[in-house]
Structure formats: structure tokens, C-alpha cells
Amino acid sequence: MRGFCWWSSLPISACIQAGLDGGSEYFLIEQDDTYGRAPYESLKISHDNLVRMGCADWF
């Protein structure tokens, strides 16, 4: 199983696994607030976190 994302309010690893088990082919990043960061900086953070969780081959 891919790593757990401890800074999220959701169990990201479980969500990803449920999506894979259900046949999902695409996963989208959604963020309500960038907390003072530029949108692309937030997107890069999300990308880097997914790579650390073992999802690098998705990009």
C-alpha cells in the first residue's frame, strides 16, 4: 500500500486504494484554499506528496 498522507484531513491512501479497487483511471487534486501560496506552488506540493506516497508513475 502506498504511504499515508498525515497532513490531510482525509485518509488519502485509503481513498486512492478504493479508487484503484473500483477501477478508477484518473485521480484529480482538489484544494479549497491555497493558504497564502500561489496556486501552482500548491499544485507542486500536492504532486511532490503523491510522488513520496509512491505514485510517481502516474505523472
Side-chain angles (χ1 to χ4, degrees):
M1 181 63 196
R2 292 170 164 87
F4 180 73
C5 180
W6 60 268
W7 53 90
S8 175
S9 59
L10 295 173
I12 298 299
S13 294
C15 291
I16 290 172
Q17 191 60 54
L20 292 171
D21 291 347
S24 294
E25 296 181 36
Y26 301 96
F27 293 81
L28 305 176
I29 297 170
E30 186 273 332
Q31 188 164 343
D32 295 328
D33 191 345
T34 59
Y35 304 99
R37 294 183 178 96
Y40 283 103
E41 180 183 358
S42 292
L43 184 61
K44 181 174 180 350
I45 290 169
S46 295
H47 166 271
D48 293 348
N49 290 335
L50 287 168
V51 167
R52 272 193 288 277
M53 291 173 62
C55 302
D57 57 331
W58 291 8
F59 299 96

